[in-house]
Amino acid sequence: MAFQIGKISVSWATLFTIAGLTILIGLGSWQIQRMSWKEDVLATINKEYERDPYSNPISKERLMTLPDDPEELVFERGTISGRFLNEKDVAIISRTYEGNPGYHIITPFQLKDGSVILVNRGWASISYDKRRNREEFYHDEYTILSGVLRLPEKANLFVPENSPSKDKWYQLNVDEIGQAKGIKELSPYVFYVENDINQTTVIPVPFAKRWQPNNNHAQYAMMWYLLGGALVIIHIFRFMRPRFMKEPHAEGEYEEPGLREEEY
């Protein structure tokens, strides 16, 4: 015998509530695990910022051992040595510095061993949209760059797609830049410059912003747990409480309001 409220069987509602609660608790617990993982990542990043970058030269061999999975969040502070391939640079649109619009200048950089990695040289104002204007800060001599090595962050859904044929770049996509510029072997990592020993101009402004990935997992976990609690409360007041609220029906009998026996 099963009771119904309207057209919904209490037993079915209970089953769906248990299933939903199991899913929500699972999502909350997963966020707790992610929070622990993210805290370890943040601790590693803070430790890297305490390191003297000149004590950690980064070579091709080191780049080849790094994972290309964005979930790994590899972050390494050090130096790279080589020269810029200025003729293959790109300007990423819609980047600001102290409220001023401009670009991030991304230039392929050839290491001493011949391998190539993209370098974010930093911010330049909108007057540097043309390559001929960027020649002002070009230099192709051997140099040493200090900075941080990491995978570029994925663009959100509101960022337009790149248009390589028009040399219009809205997001830092390593594969697309490599194909457009004819670079066959390009590391998936990007080196974000803090200092270039041979730069004599103010522009580009080095991208030295301290990278700190968001750690909102505690809030997400609380959200899933609260949704689970709300689901239980709704189920109790909608389906369980009426079964225990009985109204007088006849002498010695009670009728449960809103409930009827399912016919078989």
Side-chain angles (χ1 to χ4, degrees), residues 91 93 103 129-130 161-170:
I93 302 172
Y103 303 86
D129 59 334
K130 303 297 183 184
E161 295 293 327
N162 293 326
S163 180
S165 60
K166 298 180 181 179
D167 203 28
K168 296 291 184 182
W169 303 91
Y170 303 93

Side-chain angles (χ1 to χ4, degrees), residues 186-242:
L186 186 61
S187 171
Y189 282 79
V190 174
F191 192 83
Y192 294 79
V193 173
E194 293 178 352
N195 183 58
D196 175 359
I197 63 172
N198 285 329
Q199 181 174 323
T200 58
T201 58
V202 176
I203 300 294
V205 179
F207 187 80
K209 178 181 176 181
R210 190 181 181 105
W211 188 53
Q212 200 77 359
N214 292 327
N215 187 12
N216 301 320
H217 299 292
Q219 294 92 314
Y220 290 138
M222 182 63 68
M223 178 189 71
W224 292 123
Y225 289 146
L226 288 175
L227 286 175
L231 181 63
V232 172
I233 292 172
I234 291 172
H235 178 76
I236 291 174
F237 277 87
R238 178 66 177 87
F239 296 101
M240 304 303 294
R241 187 166 175 266

